[in-house]
Amino acid sequence: MADVPQLVAQAREGRPRAVARLISLVEGASPQLREVMAALAPLTGGAYVVGLTGSPGVGKSTSTSALVTAYRKAGKRVGVLAVDPSSPFSGGALLGDRVRMSEHAADPGVYIRSMATRGHLGGLAWAAPQAIRVLDAAGCDVILVETVGVGQSEVEIAAQADTAVVLLAPGMGDGIQAAKAGILEIGDVYVVNKADRDGADATARELNHMLGLGEARAPGDWRPPIVRTVASRGEGTDDVVEALEKHRAWMEEHGVLAERRARRAAGEVETIAVTALRQRIGDLHGDRRLGALARRIVAGELDPYRAADELVAGLTDGPSGPSGPGGPGSRG
């Protein structure tokens, strides 16, 4: 069993092995997960979480690396969660993003972690919110969450980040590639990367036009800027950082940042509760209560909705409550 207080103390000192161990406890849904989250709770809230999303090939990893460089020059500690596709063999992340950001590997002010989606359709591991909390408690000033490029389900990043950055690139064969995915509805900052390529001007114009067709904005509302970059050369990265800082300041001024973080916490609580209930329902297969309810339905004595109500009531009235003795996936 891990010594959680010691791991948390070491993580606060910036020791990467302690941070790695805590995130591993999160990913593995350790029976100690509740203890970890309880220890981290009073230490969080200081990090600015930026999500980067977009279709495959737009340069998310290169852009993330460029942002790390810019924030490090400003003296910020940076955490990176690169959410990779799950390996079909091990269930682990393929680590491609970590390889591409290897230039930062020796920097003690940068922590990079690849996480597996484990088939999660939103492109984000279910454990990502809690991994973000680990990096926050470990003293990261900025946390960059880069999602796997899976197109239409990328919109989930908006629920995990303070600011969502949508990246596009010219010549991807689909104009505004992700418009059909609803991705244009969730961006706070839009980046046209590879702006030295032919078609960059047209991509920016089309993006500006499509954003103009969106919801009507009242005076004082945030209008997402469009920034052009060549991330491979670091060009335009300072403009992206400036746009991010402006958005953060606007959110703080209008109370939007606190609202987003409360909504994020509510979603996390809901996910934990639903996961725990689903596990408890799964444990009922072959259980006599479920079998008895099924026989009453077949006999016409009970309809499925009333049966479900009885089943849920039995689950939630148990001695351990709806979340059981451990966290999601817990076997403790």
Side-chain angles (χ1 to χ4, degrees):
M1 298 288 281
D3 185 338
V4 171
Q6 183 179 26
L7 282 177
V8 171
Q10 291 175 347
R12 292 288 288 174
E13 295 171 2
R15 299 191 190 182
R17 287 189 178 182
V19 177
R21 185 73 188 280
L22 287 170
I23 294 180
S24 294
L25 291 175
V26 167
E27 282 197 288
S30 165
Q32 293 182 280
L33 184 52
R34 289 172 177 270
E35 183 185 356
V36 170
M37 290 299 111
L40 295 180
L43 306 175
T44 59
Y48 175 42
V49 183
V50 177
L52 293 98
T53 188
S55 300
V58 298
K60 290 191 297 295
S61 296
T62 307
S63 297
T64 300
S65 182
L67 282 173
V68 171
T69 299
Y71 277 119
R72 288 298 293 143
K73 284 182 180 177
K76 306 282 189 183
R77 291 188 65 192
V78 184
V80 179
L81 286 182
V83 184
D84 287 342
S86 298
S87 163
F89 303 104
S90 67
L94 300 182
L95 308 181
D97 295 303
R98 199 154 53 176
V99 170
R100 287 191 287 274
M101 285 183 270
S102 58
E103 63 186 281
H104 303 293
D107 186 343
V110 180
Y111 182 87
I112 301 170
R113 175 74 174 229
S114 290
M115 294 184 69
T117 61
R118 301 184 187 274
H120 193 62
L121 289 178
L124 284 174
W126 73 267
Q130 295 169 73
I132 289 171
R133 187 172 283 110
V134 171
L135 293 177
D136 187 356
C140 290
D141 300 299
V142 179
I143 300 171
L144 305 175
V145 183
E146 179 202 331
T147 67
V148 60
V150 293
Q152 298 205 10
S153 51
E154 286 290 295
V155 294
E156 187 169 321
I157 185 60
Q160 303 297 340
D162 296 326
T163 297
V165 178
V166 175
L167 288 100
L168 304 103
M172 299 298 290
D174 193 17
I176 303 302
Q177 308 99 321
K180 60 183 179 294
I183 209 169
L184 294 180
E185 300 171 4
I186 60 103
D188 300 303
V189 174
Y190 290 87
V191 174
V192 178
N193 190 33
K194 306 181 182 180
D196 54 341
R197 291 186 176 182
D198 291 340
D201 290 342
T203 299
R205 281 196 305 271
E206 186 177 354
L207 175 57
N208 188 56
H209 175 68
M210 295 194 71
L211 289 173
L213 295 176
E215 297 179 3
R217 293 181 175 87
D221 283 356
W222 176 257
R223 193 188 195 290
I226 301 171
V227 184
R228 303 185 193 198
T229 65
V230 183
S232 60
R233 299 201 295 259
E235 296 176 9
T237 304
D238 289 341
D239 296 331
V240 177
V241 172
E242 182 181 352
L244 292 173
E245 291 306 312
K246 284 182 178 178
H247 184 242
R248 182 179 187 177
W250 176 86
M251 288 192 297
E252 289 176 342
E253 180 183 348
H254 292 81
V256 175
L257 183 58
E259 180 183 329
R260 285 193 176 191
R261 290 179 174 179
R263 190 162 58 238
R264 193 159 75 221
E268 187 178 358
V269 171
E270 181 180 348
T271 297
I272 292 170
V274 169
T275 300
L277 282 171
R278 185 179 294 122
Q279 288 174 337
R280 294 183 68 182
I281 290 173
D283 291 340
L284 287 177
H285 285 292
D287 186 277
R288 54 192 177 87
R289 288 177 295 172
L290 185 58
L293 289 170
R295 286 190 292 273
R296 290 174 64 192
I297 293 172
V298 172
E301 300 172 2
L302 195 63
D303 66 82
Y305 287 92
R306 284 183 56 199
D309 288 342
E310 289 189 24
L311 184 61
V312 170
L315 288 172
T316 56
D317 290 343
S320 59
S323 56
S330 171
R331 292 166 180 80

